[in-house]
Amino acid sequence: MSIQRYGKPAQPGALPFSKAAGADGWLYVSGQVPRDADGEIVTGSITVQATVTLNNLKKVLESAGYSLEDVVRVTVYLDDPRDFAGFNKVYAKFFSAEHAPARVCVQAAMMSDLRVEVDCIAYKKEQ
């Protein structure tokens, strides 16, 4: 078994960690937040932040050769649980009912102006 690591965060102060690590077909994606390509936090409503966050999650998956359909489990961290409905509307655009992963959603005190963070575990049979 070999472990592969994918991507480094844009913020040097966040090191050391990888955006994702995989082994034996499993991929563990670190928590993604609403940051733009320059590492700046994208502020706004939960729908704005959820869209950026889930797009970031998708990009990390794709950089490792996975897709949203390979996701087995998702953990969602919301600063305010009242944001769940708004988050879920965005989430449904990324994960279809046919390929819906198992999901956990918890309230978590966020740093800065973050309203949401999402991590996941994906699996794809090794070729």
Side-chain angles (χ1 to χ4, degrees), residues 12 31 45 50-51 63 89:
S45 69
T51 301
S63 74
K89 285 181 182 178

Side-chain angles (χ1 to χ4, degrees), residues 38-81:
D38 295 324
E40 298 297 320
I41 295 171
V42 176
T43 58
S45 69
I46 187 61
T47 56
V48 168
Q49 287 202 0
T51 301
V52 173
T53 298
L54 291 169
N55 273 320
N56 288 343
L57 186 81
K58 183 179 176 186
K59 288 176 191 173
V60 173
L61 286 163
E62 290 172 349
S63 74
Y66 289 73
S67 73
L68 291 172
E69 291 181 2
D70 298 317
V71 174
V72 177
R73 183 167 191 263
V74 171
T75 305
V76 178
Y77 306 91
L78 294 175
D79 188 60
D80 185 343

Side-chain angles (χ1 to χ4, degrees), residues 2 10 33 75 88 97:
S2 67
V33 296
T75 305
N88 205 48

